[in-house]
Amino acid sequence: MAEIKVPELAESITEGTIAQWLKQPGDRVEKGEYIVELETDKVNVEVISEEAGVIQELKAEEGDTVQVGQVIAVVSEGGEASAPANTEKTEAPKQEEKVAAQPQSTPETDKKDRPIASPAARKLAREKGIDLSAVSPVDPMGRVRVQDVNAHTTQPKQEVQAAKSAPVSQEDGKPVEIVRMSRRRQTIAKRLLEVKQNTAMLTTFNEIDMTAVMELRKRKKDKFQEEHDGTRLGFMSFFTKAVVAALKKYPAVNSEIQGNELIVKKYYDIGIAVSTDEGLVVPVVRDSDRKNFAEIEADIAGFAKKARENKLSLGDLQGGTFTITNGGTFGSLFSTPIINGTQVGILGMHTIQKRPVAVGDNIEIRPMMYVALSYDHRVIDGAEAVGFLVTVKKLLENPEDLLLEA
């Protein structure tokens, strides 16, 4: 017998939640094949079997919290042991008769009414929020494949996982639904509250005339995309480069408090907040000061794709010395971002909106963006915060200067 244990996840992660079993008792499993998906504070992790054999027992149910090192399943090596589905036929003949009465029934569909599906189809269905039992397979044997999932009308994916939820009545008799927050949503809530409670957070604001950046991007985007294998020139590379230049000028903003000491980082790993169905994640663009615009854009595009496909690794999310978040992608005009983890600063971008502004002695319509810097006032003084934000503003209003900072 081989035991399947919860693997080491990351230094700061000691537990996870069983999101979905990909195998059931009686199922054959090959060495290296995924058998369960764990939901952790940051990402979902699929756990493999180290041995080939037959699943004999699942020691945790979907929704259970499990610790690193905990045994969650048992596999009979070599597959010599009989599968539970077979013993069910010898020990419960009446159940066998019931199965025989259903022409297209199989042992796999009998176990908790679990549809037969390929691992790839199960993964795609989870990503799209589709109930596999609602998918109509083309396969005459009833096996759901990737093309069946793609052909199915996508259901809206819920941000929180319902845990035996049902409408209940409040005192006024109006219906509500009780749902259980996902582990990731619980962790996000907990950490945001900790930041608010444990830092002297303050926010300063400014606005940026995006005319020059937009005109430069318009002139260069086609050539840029052609020269860099299809990588598109967006706004994030401009902001990342401007932030790095401002961090070099105001190093305290690129620091962290540890006890009574201030750890000033001499490297520039910039976190870029990415929205997913399960909450905000912040993958990190490493060594942003050493990368050109194309490399930064390629990293960000890659992270966005991995986030959509739920393939971000823990390594993608760990670390980070400063964070940029862009609420403008959702239409936000003005907001106060919350500092990320142990960092002391975060830059909030917002939607670009044309507004009348004074240009010299004239009033002109310009594409303007409000920006916000939230910072820990224990580390950063107001003058430094304002200076940082003004530096970002000046560089973006004169983007050619960013080339001198690259």
Side-chain angles (χ1 to χ4, degrees):
M1 295 288 182
E3 295 180 332
I4 306 297
K5 298 180 180 181
V6 178
E8 293 288 338
L9 301 170
E11 184 178 350
S12 60
I13 298 178
T14 60
E15 63 181 22
T17 299
I18 302 291
Q20 182 178 12
W21 283 106
L22 306 179
K23 295 287 185 178
Q24 294 292 320
D27 287 353
R28 174 76 186 177
V29 62
E30 301 299 330
K31 183 176 181 180
E33 187 176 2
Y34 294 123
I35 65 169
V36 64
E37 183 180 13
L38 292 177
E39 183 184 58
T40 72
D41 293 349
K42 295 182 178 179
V43 294
N44 284 20
V45 178
E46 290 179 319
V47 180
I48 64 171
S49 174
E50 297 293 345
E51 300 290 343
V54 173
I55 301 291
Q56 292 297 305
E57 182 184 3
L58 303 182
K59 292 182 172 292
E61 297 182 358
E62 292 180 359
D64 286 355
T65 296
V66 292
Q67 307 293 322
V68 169
Q70 179 178 333
V71 178
I72 55 175
V74 177
V75 176
S76 64
E77 300 178 34
E80 296 178 359
S82 60
N86 295 331
T87 59
E88 191 173 79
K89 290 185 179 181
T90 58
E91 295 175 6
K94 290 184 179 180
Q95 181 67 19
E96 182 182 10
E97 293 173 5
K98 182 179 179 181
V99 172
Q102 298 174 358
Q104 294 186 341
S105 178
T106 67
E108 185 169 354
T109 56
D110 286 335
K111 294 192 287 284
K112 299 183 181 179
D113 296 325
R114 189 169 185 261
I116 305 173
S118 69
R122 291 190 184 281
K123 183 174 180 62
L124 182 61
R126 290 198 305 276
E127 292 170 356
K128 292 193 170 187
I130 294 175
D131 182 359
L132 276 176
S133 63
V135 177
S136 299
V138 175
D139 188 340
M141 298 300 293
R143 185 177 180 85
V144 179
R145 302 184 184 279
V146 169
Q147 54 265 39
D148 300 321
V149 177
N150 282 325
H152 184 79
T153 302
T154 302
Q155 302 290 331
K157 187 171 182 181
Q158 294 183 344
E159 182 181 85
V160 292
Q161 176 184 2
K164 298 180 180 179
S165 61
V168 298
S169 295
Q170 292 180 323
E171 289 79 0
D172 58 7
K174 294 183 179 180
V176 298
E177 185 180 16
I178 299 175
V179 296
R180 185 172 127 189
M181 293 173 69
S182 68
R183 168 174 290 275
R184 194 166 305 154
R185 177 55 60 186
Q186 292 178 52
T187 300
I188 290 172
K190 178 182 176 183
R191 291 185 176 172
L192 290 178
L193 187 59
E194 286 176 349
V195 168
K196 293 283 284 185
Q197 292 174 336
N198 297 325
T199 64
M201 199 178 81
L202 192 64
T203 305
T204 186
F205 303 92
N206 213 315
E207 61 179 356
I208 298 174
D209 183 345
M210 296 293 291
T211 301
V213 168
M214 293 177 72
E215 289 180 349
L216 177 60
R217 179 173 175 267
K218 184 177 180 179
R219 292 198 312 270
K220 300 291 186 180
K221 65 178 182 178
D222 291 338
K223 185 178 180 181
F224 184 94
Q225 190 168 352
E226 180 182 341
E227 291 180 351
H228 298 289
D229 299 322
T231 300
R232 299 177 62 183
L233 179 60
F235 293 120
M236 292 306 300
S237 54
F238 288 94
F239 274 85
T240 301
K241 280 296 187 182
V243 160
V244 168
L247 290 174
K248 290 180 177 180
K249 188 173 181 179
Y250 298 94
V253 186
N254 199 46
S255 67
E256 138 184 13
I257 293 178
Q258 290 186 7
N260 294 323
E261 296 179 331
L262 185 65
I263 310 299
V264 180
K265 313 291 178 63
K266 297 299 183 180
Y267 57 95
Y268 305 90
D269 291 351
I270 308 300
I272 306 295
V274 176
S275 178
T276 71
D277 290 329
E278 296 183 353
L280 204 66
V281 293
V282 187
V284 179
V285 178
R286 312 286 175 184
D287 299 317
S288 297
D289 58 319
R290 301 179 185 178
K291 292 181 175 177
N292 59 32
F293 282 71
E295 290 170 326
I296 292 173
E297 291 290 356
D299 280 359
I300 294 172
F303 287 141
K305 184 175 185 294
K306 289 171 74 174
R308 288 193 301 270
E309 298 175 352
N310 200 24
K311 292 182 179 179
L312 284 170
S313 68
L314 292 171
D316 293 331
L317 305 174
Q318 290 175 327
T321 62
F322 185 88
T323 295
I324 303 173
T325 182
N326 186 6
T329 57
F330 305 104
S332 173
L333 181 64
F334 206 74
S335 68
T336 302
I338 298 178
I339 297 170
N340 181 29
T342 59
Q343 298 171 16
V344 297
I346 181 171
L347 179 73
M349 299 166 56
H350 299 92
T351 192
I352 299 172
Q353 188 176 71
K354 289 185 177 181
R355 298 197 301 271
V357 295
V359 180
D361 293 329
N362 300 317
I363 300 296
E364 296 183 12
I365 303 298
R366 294 291 183 97
M368 305 297 293
M369 176 193 288
Y370 289 119
V371 288
L373 175 70
S374 290
Y375 59 97
D376 191 339
H377 209 350
R378 297 176 301 167
V379 177
I380 305 167
D381 292 331
E384 288 179 293
V386 172
F388 177 94
L389 206 52
V390 167
T391 299
V392 171
K393 170 185 169 68
K394 288 181 177 178
L395 287 170
L396 289 168
E397 291 183 343
N398 298 279
E400 290 83 0
D401 293 347
L402 289 172
L403 298 176
L404 302 177
E405 299 289 342

